[in-house]
Amino acid sequence: MLTKEQIAQRIAKEVKNGQYINLGIGIPTLVANYIPKHLDVVLQSENGLLGIGPFPTEDQVDPDLINAGKQTITMVPGSAIFNSAESFAMIRGGHVHLTILGAMEVSENGDIANWKIPGKMVKGMGGAMDLVASAKNIIVAMQHCSKDGQSKLLPECSLPITGIKCVKKIVSDLAVLEIAPEGGFILKERAPGVSVEEIKSKTAGKLIIYGEIPEMTFD
C-alpha cells in the first residue's frame, strides 16, 4: 500500500501547467512538495493565500504564514496575501482549476462526504462545500478502507454529503480510479504489489475493470 507521501506524489502527476490549485487539509497539503519544478502553477488557500510553496525547513518557519489547516508554509516570489472573503470569491467564481481534497467516503456516482461524522464535534464545514461546487476538477486523496477495514468507496455515501456528482478521480493507498459517467469506479492503476483481486475485495461500490491494470510509477 502507498504511504501518504506516495499518494501525494502520484496526485502531483495530475497537475498541469498554468493551473490554480486548492489543496485541502491532510494528505492534499503534501502535494505541494512534489509538484515538478518546471510547472508554473499557483496554489491557493481559503484563508487568503495565492502562491504557496513547499513546507518550510526548520530555518524557514514563519508562524505568521499558515494554510487553511493551520500548518506553517512558505510563499513563492510573486505570492499574495488577502482576506478570506476574497479567497472565497475566487473559489465561487470558478477560478480554481483543480481541487484536491481528502474524504471519509466517496460514492460510485462521484458524491463526496468529508466534513462531518454524526455525533462527533466539528468546528464547521470549512471551505469544502464551496470548493466541490465550484472547482472544474476534483481529485480525492484518501485511504481505501477505514481503520476497521470497511471500504470507503461505496454505492452510496452513508455520512453527510459535502457535494454530489463532483469527484472526477480518486488516488487511494491501493489504486487510482476514475468515476464513470454512468456511475462506478474505473480502475486505472494499482499500487505496487497490490493485486486487482485485493482492490476488488476492498471496494464496496461498483468496480469497472478494462484489460490489464498497470502498476503506478513514481518517475
Side-chain angles (χ1 to χ4, degrees):
M1 294 189 294
L2 301 185
T3 63
K4 292 178 180 179
E5 289 75 16
Q6 286 174 314
I7 293 172
Q9 190 177 356
R10 174 59 189 81
I11 290 175
K13 294 175 72 174
E14 302 294 321
V15 172
K16 293 179 173 55
N17 196 52
Q19 287 185 321
Y20 285 78
I21 302 167
N22 183 284
L23 303 179
I25 294 168
I27 298 173
T29 59
L30 300 173
V31 174
N33 294 333
Y34 298 103
I35 295 173
K37 289 189 173 19
H38 70 274
L39 294 182
D40 181 17
V41 300
V42 180
L43 301 182
Q44 190 259 12
S45 183
E46 300 99 293
N47 60 322
L49 305 173
L50 268 182
I52 301 168
F55 282 121
T57 56
E58 210 167 301
D59 60 319
Q60 293 176 316
V61 171
D62 181 342
D64 290 324
L65 288 179
I66 60 169
N67 62 21
K70 300 180 179 63
Q71 297 166 305
T72 52
I73 49 135
T74 60
M75 302 294 283
V76 299
S79 60
I81 298 173
F82 38 86
N83 68 46
S84 62
E86 288 179 271
S87 183
F88 275 94
M90 293 174 187
I91 293 167
R92 293 167 184 165
H95 304 292
V96 175
H97 299 111
L98 173 63
T99 290
I100 303 167
L101 294 169
M104 292 178 278
E105 293 177 349
V106 176
S107 81
E108 61 189 41
N109 289 321
D111 303 343
I112 180 173
N114 79 339
W115 76 277
K116 183 178 181 180
I117 298 175
K120 291 199 173 182
M121 177 68 75
V122 291
K123 294 179 181 177
M125 64 190 69
M129 289 189 179
D130 293 274
L131 287 162
V132 299
S134 307
K136 296 176 174 69
N137 186 18
I138 296 167
I139 298 175
V140 169
M142 67 188 297
Q143 307 294 327
H144 210 94
C145 297
S146 61
K147 289 179 181 176
D148 62 359
Q150 298 300 307
S151 178
K152 294 182 175 184
L153 277 61
L154 307 169
E156 294 181 0
C157 293
S158 62
L159 296 172
I161 296 288
T162 309
I164 59 171
K165 295 184 178 180
C166 56
V167 175
K168 301 292 190 295
K169 183 172 286 187
I170 300 154
V171 180
S172 77
D173 51 349
L174 300 181
V176 176
L177 309 104
E178 291 180 359
I179 300 294
E182 69 279 8
F185 301 102
I186 303 172
L187 182 58
K188 304 296 288 185
E189 299 174 24
R190 53 193 174 85
V194 174
S195 69
V196 171
E197 289 304 313
E198 181 178 355
I199 296 166
K200 275 186 187 175
S201 70
K202 293 181 176 178
T203 306
K206 180 171 70 174
L207 187 66
I208 302 168
I209 301 169
Y210 298 119
E212 292 292 316
I213 306 301
E215 284 193 352
M216 295 181 213
T217 59
F218 299 91
D219 300 335

